[in-house]
Amino acid sequence: MSNKTITFKILRQDGPNHPSYWETFVIPYLPNSNVISCLMDIQKNPINSEGKKVRPVVWDCNCLEEVCGTCTMVINGKTRQSCSALIDKLMQPITLQPLSKFPVVRDLAVDRSRMFEALKRIKAWVPMDGYHDLGPGDKILPDHQGVAYKLSECMTCGCCVEACPQYSRDNNFVGAAAISQARLFNMHPTGKLIANERLDSLMDDGGIAACGNAQNCVEVCPKSIPLTESIAEMGRQSSKRFWKTLFQI
Ligand code: SF4
Ligand code: SF4
Ligand code: FES
């Protein structure tokens, strides 16, 4: 084995509302490692750089292939998925911090419930009135499918809201991901049956008007979802709804 090592500086927290502190770990280098595989090595042998045995580091992960979004954290100052963060491409020491826009559960694990509540708020689903056979659905043109498929790749990872200057712990902005999901479900032939309910929700406090159009979200989305296009489209739909309601058209 070579003498090469990997150094991590991890922002830790023993539980919700506990103070945070930095802890350094130095582990042997293994080729083709990623941040999660290194965290697993630290978990097996949780000894910090001062040689002290400490509580194993806590983080979330699931799919390990950048699909579920749960492993998102701030790595060397950039919000991204830790399962796809290759060590050979990162400057050392590698800093790991939890997402700052959500309450910390422990260490790098955060509670992203607010994002799922936002999806409930904008009714990110297709309404069903039962499970009986409704016959074939409407035909969807390939162009439309292409747009919808891209939007459907959102994994609620939180990168967009982490980068957004308007999304903070003391406001109720729904964020770019939820706005984009409202666009997706308003495009769906059955989903559009409750399009106006989604628009009303987006026109409410913390809705689309809270977006300052800084466009940070689109820069950091790991799925390259056209978030600013979605925000512009939902802005158009909301304005149309506003004027229609005002004049009772
Ligand atoms: S829109 Fe992109 S950055 Fe935002 S939650 Fe979805 S996948 Fe993540
Ligand atoms: S455009 Fe800017 S303000 Fe609006 S959601 Fe994206 S990052 Fe936030
Ligand atoms: S573990 Fe699912 S995206 Fe990283």
Side-chain angles (χ1 to χ4, degrees):
M1 191 190 286
S2 81
N3 293 329
K4 267 172 88 176
T5 54
I6 310 168
T7 304
F8 283 97
K9 276 184 73 184
I10 303 179
L11 189 63
R12 308 201 58 185
Q13 192 170 318
D14 293 343
N17 305 318
H18 281 245
S20 56
Y21 58 95
W22 287 98
E23 192 149 59
T24 303
F25 295 87
V26 182
I27 58 167
Y29 172 85
L30 282 176
N32 306 318
S33 309
N34 60 41
V35 168
I36 296 260
S37 67
C38 292
L39 283 171
M40 286 172 173
D41 287 344
I42 293 172
Q43 189 179 48
K44 273 189 251 155
N45 187 27
I47 296 184
N48 69 16
S49 59
E50 290 159 17
K52 195 170 148 207
K53 186 153 182 147
V54 294
R55 178 176 62 73
V57 179
V58 173
W59 76 96
D60 276 326
C61 65
N62 189 4
C63 69
L64 302 180
E65 52 183 355
E66 210 183 79
V67 172
C68 74
T70 55
C71 69
T72 307
M73 56 184 76
V74 181
I75 302 172
N76 283 355
K78 188 172 173 243
T79 173
R80 57 183 298 187
Q81 283 65 57
S82 46
C83 63
S84 54
L86 300 175
I87 298 303
D88 291 336
K89 297 200 169 164
L90 293 170
M91 293 276 288
Q92 290 199 43
I94 299 166
T95 58
L96 304 183
Q97 292 167 262
L99 294 175
S100 66
K101 302 286 173 85
F102 304 105
V104 171
V105 178
R106 253 187 183 197
D107 299 330
L108 303 166
V110 296
D111 177 0
R112 287 178 300 139
S113 305
R114 178 172 164 184
M115 289 197 78
F116 299 102
E117 290 303 321
L119 292 178
K120 283 196 231 165
R121 174 175 159 177
I122 57 96
K123 298 183 194 288
W125 57 75
V126 172
M128 298 285 291
D129 63 355
Y131 291 94
H132 51 283
D133 185 1
L134 296 169
D138 289 339
K139 284 209 170 78
I140 301 178
L141 295 172
D143 280 359
H144 182 110
Q145 284 172 15
V147 176
Y149 184 76
K150 192 63 227 97
L151 301 180
S152 75
E153 284 186 301
C154 176
M155 52 184 176
T156 326
C157 67
C159 288
C160 54
V161 297
E162 179 72 14
C164 173
Q166 303 301 118
Y167 193 97
S168 77
R169 291 216 206 176
D170 39 68
N171 68 19
N172 64 349
F173 179 33
V174 288
I179 297 171
S180 192
Q181 290 303 293
R183 179 187 178 198
L184 170 66
F185 286 95
N186 275 13
M187 287 175 75
H188 189 276
T190 313
K192 69 165 64 139
L193 291 174
I194 53 168
N196 284 342
E197 291 176 42
R198 291 193 194 97
L199 295 176
D200 289 343
S201 178
L202 281 183
M203 289 192 285
D204 222 339
D205 185 43
I208 198 157
C211 167
N213 214 16
Q215 310 202 358
N216 295 10
C217 50
V218 75
E219 296 291 328
V220 296
C221 175
K223 298 291 170 192
S224 305
I225 293 173
L227 292 169
T228 41
E229 254 178 61
S230 292
I231 293 165
E233 171 59 24
M234 295 320 285
R236 273 192 294 275
Q237 291 186 26
S238 301
S239 305
K240 211 165 145 194
R241 166 95 179 132
F242 173 80
W243 291 111
K244 271 191 161 179
T245 316
L246 196 66
F247 295 108
Q248 301 292 325
I249 304 170

